[in-house]
Amino acid sequence: MINEKLEKAFNDQINKELYSEYLYLAMKLHFQQLNLQGFVNWFNVQVQEEHAHAMGMIDYLDERGGCCVLEAIDKPVIEGKTILEIFEQVLKHEEFVTSRINHLADVAEEVKDRAALHFLEWYLKEQVEEEASVNGVLATLRLIGDDKKALLMIDKDLAARTFNPPIIG
Ligand code: FEO
């Protein structure tokens, strides 16, 4: 049976993952309005990844005899106006998620749950990849500045991203 404090921390993180899914869905819709289909695809993959992250934790809680309590999901707000600002928000959000997963791992350590710590290693590694992926797009966006032709080329590149269902844990 999972420790109560750890169960609550998992539930908090499940809410954050579902919020991430919601935020990226809002961003996907934003790019749909701009008719930048590569960016739409990039965010669509994000949406699916965040869904998988949440489901991975939901299944794990169940496996450990815990209870998943679904709370309200905050309204997603796109803070930036430009594409660069939107990706800066994505990076800031992913850094926040990384800090929350680190916190979750701290709780697992505090209650001496080594199995949970082992499970969370996958998420910590995933966060390194997530931040690197966003940083990659940000670097290219900074490089091209206001060049519309180059933006269309990035859009074409982002169209190639595919979702590979992760094997979590
Ligand atoms: Fe589930 Fe993008 O972190």
Side-chain angles (χ1 to χ4, degrees):
M1 193 77 174
I2 196 160
N3 170 283
E4 215 175 291
K5 185 174 178 182
L6 184 57
E7 179 186 56
K8 187 181 175 319
F10 262 104
N11 270 304
D12 284 348
Q13 189 56 35
I14 287 164
N15 185 270
K16 303 264 180 312
E17 299 294 342
L18 291 172
Y19 173 78
S20 303
E21 179 180 358
Y22 214 32
L23 176 67
Y24 296 144
L25 179 57
M27 290 177 172
K28 173 189 159 176
L29 296 174
H30 175 79
F31 282 102
Q32 244 161 21
Q33 293 287 316
L34 299 176
N35 199 28
L36 286 168
Q37 296 305 327
F39 284 89
V40 170
N41 176 64
W42 195 89
F43 279 101
N44 196 41
V45 172
Q46 285 297 109
V47 167
Q48 293 174 86
E49 285 194 349
E50 298 305 345
H51 186 75
H53 297 168
M55 291 309 293
M57 286 189 183
I58 289 169
D59 290 347
Y60 184 69
L61 255 192
D62 183 57
E63 199 183 338
R64 295 289 310 272
C67 185
C68 178
V69 182
L70 296 177
E71 300 289 349
I73 302 169
D74 289 342
K75 180 183 165 82
V77 177
I78 301 177
E79 290 162 5
K81 283 198 170 52
T82 65
I83 296 176
L84 182 65
E85 284 168 349
I86 290 174
F87 273 84
E88 281 169 346
Q89 183 186 352
V90 172
L91 181 62
K92 209 171 85 187
H93 181 69
E94 286 303 329
E95 287 171 346
F96 168 69
V97 171
T98 300
S99 76
R100 296 314 300 168
I101 292 180
N102 272 318
H103 168 74
L104 186 51
D106 285 347
V107 177
E109 206 162 7
E110 188 191 320
V111 302
K112 297 188 179 2
D113 192 326
R114 293 190 198 288
L117 264 177
H118 179 71
F119 172 76
L120 288 168
E121 271 171 26
W122 183 90
Y123 282 86
L124 289 168
K125 244 175 77 189
E126 173 75 357
Q127 281 311 117
V128 172
E129 284 173 26
E130 292 253 306
E131 287 185 27
S133 155
V134 182
N135 267 317
V137 180
L138 264 175
T140 314
L141 286 171
R142 287 192 182 115
L143 202 66
I144 66 159
D146 293 330
D147 185 339
K148 291 258 186 316
K149 229 188 214 167
L151 179 67
L152 290 177
M153 279 169 73
I154 299 183
D155 190 56
K156 216 170 162 191
D157 283 354
L158 297 186
R161 189 183 187 200
T162 54
F163 173 64
N164 301 307
I167 298 163
I168 298 175

PDB file of all heavy atoms in Angstrom, residues 13 17 20 24 46 49-50 53 93-94 97 101 123 126-127 130, ligand 1:
ATOM      1  N   GLN A  13       0.578  15.638  -9.029  1.00  0.00           N
ATOM      2  CA  GLN A  13       1.332  15.607 -10.280  1.00  0.00           C
ATOM      3  C   GLN A  13       0.443  15.153 -11.451  1.00  0.00           C
ATOM      4  O   GLN A  13       0.596  15.641 -12.577  1.00  0.00           O
ATOM      5  CB  GLN A  13       2.572  14.712 -10.143  1.00  0.00           C
ATOM      6  CG  GLN A  13       3.521  14.810 -11.325  1.00  0.00           C
ATOM      7  CD  GLN A  13       3.979  16.245 -11.594  1.00  0.00           C
ATOM      8  OE1 GLN A  13       4.160  17.027 -10.657  1.00  0.00           O
ATOM      9  NE2 GLN A  13       4.150  16.598 -12.872  1.00  0.00           N
ATOM     10  N   GLU A  17       0.026  17.040 -14.984  1.00  0.00           N
ATOM     11  CA  GLU A  17       0.216  16.430 -16.305  1.00  0.00           C
ATOM     12  C   GLU A  17      -1.032  16.663 -17.165  1.00  0.00           C
ATOM     13  O   GLU A  17      -0.925  16.939 -18.356  1.00  0.00           O
ATOM     14  CB  GLU A  17       0.500  14.930 -16.178  1.00  0.00           C
ATOM     15  CG  GLU A  17       1.757  14.568 -15.401  1.00  0.00           C
ATOM     16  CD  GLU A  17       3.058  15.006 -16.075  1.00  0.00           C
ATOM     17  OE1 GLU A  17       3.057  15.295 -17.287  1.00  0.00           O
ATOM     18  OE2 GLU A  17       4.086  15.084 -15.362  1.00  0.00           O
ATOM     19  N   SER A  20      -0.960  20.102 -18.327  1.00  0.00           N
ATOM     20  CA  SER A  20      -0.007  20.233 -19.437  1.00  0.00           C
ATOM     21  C   SER A  20      -0.679  19.820 -20.744  1.00  0.00           C
ATOM     22  O   SER A  20      -0.529  20.486 -21.777  1.00  0.00           O
ATOM     23  CB  SER A  20       1.225  19.351 -19.207  1.00  0.00           C
ATOM     24  OG  SER A  20       1.845  19.678 -17.996  1.00  0.00           O
ATOM     25  N   TYR A  24      -1.200  22.415 -23.861  1.00  0.00           N
ATOM     26  CA  TYR A  24      -0.676  22.178 -25.215  1.00  0.00           C
ATOM     27  C   TYR A  24      -1.805  22.027 -26.222  1.00  0.00           C
ATOM     28  O   TYR A  24      -1.630  22.335 -27.403  1.00  0.00           O
ATOM     29  CB  TYR A  24       0.266  20.966 -25.212  1.00  0.00           C
ATOM     30  CG  TYR A  24       1.503  21.227 -24.361  1.00  0.00           C
ATOM     31  CD1 TYR A  24       2.097  20.229 -23.602  1.00  0.00           C
ATOM     32  CD2 TYR A  24       2.067  22.506 -24.311  1.00  0.00           C
ATOM     33  CE1 TYR A  24       3.218  20.486 -22.822  1.00  0.00           C
ATOM     34  CE2 TYR A  24       3.182  22.775 -23.529  1.00  0.00           C
ATOM     35  CZ  TYR A  24       3.750  21.767 -22.784  1.00  0.00           C
ATOM     36  OH  TYR A  24       4.856  22.039 -22.010  1.00  0.00           O
ATOM     37  N   GLN A  46       2.804  16.736 -28.277  1.00  0.00           N
ATOM     38  CA  GLN A  46       2.896  17.125 -26.855  1.00  0.00           C
ATOM     39  C   GLN A  46       1.655  16.687 -26.085  1.00  0.00           C
ATOM     40  O   GLN A  46       1.750  16.161 -24.984  1.00  0.00           O
ATOM     41  CB  GLN A  46       3.045  18.643 -26.717  1.00  0.00           C
ATOM     42  CG  GLN A  46       4.397  19.215 -27.054  1.00  0.00           C
ATOM     43  CD  GLN A  46       5.494  18.717 -26.142  1.00  0.00           C
ATOM     44  OE1 GLN A  46       6.334  17.932 -26.570  1.00  0.00           O
ATOM     45  NE2 GLN A  46       5.516  19.152 -24.910  1.00  0.00           N
ATOM     46  N   GLU A  49       1.723  13.030 -25.493  1.00  0.00           N
ATOM     47  CA  GLU A  49       2.753  12.674 -24.510  1.00  0.00           C
ATOM     48  C   GLU A  49       2.282  12.982 -23.096  1.00  0.00           C
ATOM     49  O   GLU A  49       2.441  12.177 -22.180  1.00  0.00           O
ATOM     50  CB  GLU A  49       4.064  13.420 -24.799  1.00  0.00           C
ATOM     51  CG  GLU A  49       4.788  12.840 -25.994  1.00  0.00           C
ATOM     52  CD  GLU A  49       6.227  13.318 -26.108  1.00  0.00           C
ATOM     53  OE1 GLU A  49       6.616  14.249 -25.384  1.00  0.00           O
ATOM     54  OE2 GLU A  49       6.943  12.751 -26.949  1.00  0.00           O
ATOM     55  N   GLU A  50       1.688  14.175 -22.924  1.00  0.00           N
ATOM     56  CA  GLU A  50       1.227  14.554 -21.581  1.00  0.00           C
ATOM     57  C   GLU A  50       0.110  13.621 -21.107  1.00  0.00           C
ATOM     58  O   GLU A  50       0.051  13.272 -19.927  1.00  0.00           O
ATOM     59  CB  GLU A  50       0.752  16.012 -21.556  1.00  0.00           C
ATOM     60  CG  GLU A  50       1.817  17.036 -21.899  1.00  0.00           C
ATOM     61  CD  GLU A  50       3.075  16.947 -21.049  1.00  0.00           C
ATOM     62  OE1 GLU A  50       3.047  16.291 -19.996  1.00  0.00           O
ATOM     63  OE2 GLU A  50       4.086  17.522 -21.460  1.00  0.00           O
ATOM     64  N   HIS A  53       1.796  10.623 -19.915  1.00  0.00           N
ATOM     65  CA  HIS A  53       2.436  10.842 -18.609  1.00  0.00           C
ATOM     66  C   HIS A  53       1.407  10.720 -17.475  1.00  0.00           C
ATOM     67  O   HIS A  53       1.671  10.096 -16.448  1.00  0.00           O
ATOM     68  CB  HIS A  53       3.070  12.241 -18.530  1.00  0.00           C
ATOM     69  CG  HIS A  53       4.181  12.456 -19.509  1.00  0.00           C
ATOM     70  ND1 HIS A  53       4.717  13.699 -19.764  1.00  0.00           N
ATOM     71  CD2 HIS A  53       4.853  11.584 -20.304  1.00  0.00           C
ATOM     72  CE1 HIS A  53       5.677  13.574 -20.673  1.00  0.00           C
ATOM     73  NE2 HIS A  53       5.770  12.306 -21.026  1.00  0.00           N
ATOM     74  N   HIS A  93       7.188  26.256 -18.562  1.00  0.00           N
ATOM     75  CA  HIS A  93       6.246  25.265 -18.028  1.00  0.00           C
ATOM     76  C   HIS A  93       6.947  23.924 -17.793  1.00  0.00           C
ATOM     77  O   HIS A  93       6.751  23.292 -16.750  1.00  0.00           O
ATOM     78  CB  HIS A  93       5.056  25.095 -18.979  1.00  0.00           C
ATOM     79  CG  HIS A  93       4.068  24.112 -18.469  1.00  0.00           C
ATOM     80  ND1 HIS A  93       3.281  24.359 -17.352  1.00  0.00           N
ATOM     81  CD2 HIS A  93       3.764  22.856 -18.868  1.00  0.00           C
ATOM     82  CE1 HIS A  93       2.536  23.299 -17.101  1.00  0.00           C
ATOM     83  NE2 HIS A  93       2.802  22.375 -18.006  1.00  0.00           N
ATOM     84  N   GLU A  94       7.757  23.501 -18.759  1.00  0.00           N
ATOM     85  CA  GLU A  94       8.450  22.220 -18.595  1.00  0.00           C
ATOM     86  C   GLU A  94       9.436  22.274 -17.426  1.00  0.00           C
ATOM     87  O   GLU A  94       9.610  21.290 -16.709  1.00  0.00           O
ATOM     88  CB  GLU A  94       9.158  21.818 -19.893  1.00  0.00           C
ATOM     89  CG  GLU A  94       8.205  21.328 -20.979  1.00  0.00           C
ATOM     90  CD  GLU A  94       7.343  20.151 -20.558  1.00  0.00           C
ATOM     91  OE1 GLU A  94       7.785  19.332 -19.735  1.00  0.00           O
ATOM     92  OE2 GLU A  94       6.200  20.052 -21.042  1.00  0.00           O
ATOM     93  N   VAL A  97       7.411  21.736 -14.432  1.00  0.00           N
ATOM     94  CA  VAL A  97       7.041  20.313 -14.291  1.00  0.00           C
ATOM     95  C   VAL A  97       8.239  19.525 -13.753  1.00  0.00           C
ATOM     96  O   VAL A  97       8.091  18.678 -12.860  1.00  0.00           O
ATOM     97  CB  VAL A  97       6.536  19.730 -15.638  1.00  0.00           C
ATOM     98  CG1 VAL A  97       6.364  18.218 -15.544  1.00  0.00           C
ATOM     99  CG2 VAL A  97       5.203  20.378 -16.033  1.00  0.00           C
ATOM    100  N   ILE A 101       8.312  17.163 -10.430  1.00  0.00           N
ATOM    101  CA  ILE A 101       8.651  15.729 -10.405  1.00  0.00           C
ATOM    102  C   ILE A 101       9.817  15.499  -9.436  1.00  0.00           C
ATOM    103  O   ILE A 101       9.847  14.509  -8.711  1.00  0.00           O
ATOM    104  CB  ILE A 101       8.933  15.193 -11.822  1.00  0.00           C
ATOM    105  CG1 ILE A 101       7.609  15.228 -12.607  1.00  0.00           C
ATOM    106  CG2 ILE A 101       9.467  13.758 -11.778  1.00  0.00           C
ATOM    107  CD1 ILE A 101       7.658  14.746 -13.998  1.00  0.00           C
ATOM    108  N   TYR A 123      10.407   9.431 -15.464  1.00  0.00           N
ATOM    109  CA  TYR A 123       9.860  10.788 -15.641  1.00  0.00           C
ATOM    110  C   TYR A 123      10.972  11.839 -15.601  1.00  0.00           C
ATOM    111  O   TYR A 123      10.931  12.829 -16.332  1.00  0.00           O
ATOM    112  CB  TYR A 123       8.810  11.072 -14.562  1.00  0.00           C
ATOM    113  CG  TYR A 123       7.476  10.414 -14.864  1.00  0.00           C
ATOM    114  CD1 TYR A 123       7.228   9.103 -14.478  1.00  0.00           C
ATOM    115  CD2 TYR A 123       6.472  11.090 -15.551  1.00  0.00           C
ATOM    116  CE1 TYR A 123       6.021   8.487 -14.777  1.00  0.00           C
ATOM    117  CE2 TYR A 123       5.264  10.495 -15.853  1.00  0.00           C
ATOM    118  CZ  TYR A 123       5.037   9.190 -15.460  1.00  0.00           C
ATOM    119  OH  TYR A 123       3.846   8.594 -15.767  1.00  0.00           O
ATOM    120  N   GLU A 126      12.686  11.721 -18.850  1.00  0.00           N
ATOM    121  CA  GLU A 126      11.780  12.278 -19.860  1.00  0.00           C
ATOM    122  C   GLU A 126      11.814  13.807 -19.821  1.00  0.00           C
ATOM    123  O   GLU A 126      11.783  14.478 -20.847  1.00  0.00           O
ATOM    124  CB  GLU A 126      10.354  11.754 -19.601  1.00  0.00           C
ATOM    125  CG  GLU A 126       9.258  12.366 -20.454  1.00  0.00           C
ATOM    126  CD  GLU A 126       9.233  11.865 -21.896  1.00  0.00           C
ATOM    127  OE1 GLU A 126      10.118  11.075 -22.255  1.00  0.00           O
ATOM    128  OE2 GLU A 126       8.347  12.292 -22.645  1.00  0.00           O
ATOM    129  N   GLN A 127      11.897  14.378 -18.608  1.00  0.00           N
ATOM    130  CA  GLN A 127      11.937  15.841 -18.485  1.00  0.00           C
ATOM    131  C   GLN A 127      13.201  16.426 -19.124  1.00  0.00           C
ATOM    132  O   GLN A 127      13.161  17.507 -19.715  1.00  0.00           O
ATOM    133  CB  GLN A 127      11.830  16.272 -17.017  1.00  0.00           C
ATOM    134  CG  GLN A 127      10.425  16.227 -16.462  1.00  0.00           C
ATOM    135  CD  GLN A 127       9.393  16.905 -17.357  1.00  0.00           C
ATOM    136  OE1 GLN A 127       8.476  16.259 -17.848  1.00  0.00           O
ATOM    137  NE2 GLN A 127       9.527  18.200 -17.600  1.00  0.00           N
ATOM    138  N   GLU A 130      12.372  16.449 -22.705  1.00  0.00           N
ATOM    139  CA  GLU A 130      11.351  17.461 -23.007  1.00  0.00           C
ATOM    140  C   GLU A 130      11.981  18.856 -23.077  1.00  0.00           C
ATOM    141  O   GLU A 130      11.733  19.614 -24.009  1.00  0.00           O
ATOM    142  CB  GLU A 130      10.272  17.468 -21.925  1.00  0.00           C
ATOM    143  CG  GLU A 130       9.414  16.220 -21.903  1.00  0.00           C
ATOM    144  CD  GLU A 130       8.023  16.465 -22.428  1.00  0.00           C
ATOM    145  OE1 GLU A 130       7.346  17.360 -21.938  1.00  0.00           O
ATOM    146  OE2 GLU A 130       7.616  15.739 -23.348  1.00  0.00           O
TER     147      GLU A 130
HETATM  148 FE1  FEO B   1       4.655  15.594 -18.665  1.00  0.00          FE
HETATM  149 FE2  FEO B   1       5.906  17.757 -20.498  1.00  0.00          FE
HETATM  150  O1  FEO B   1       5.880  16.869 -18.870  1.00  0.00           O
END
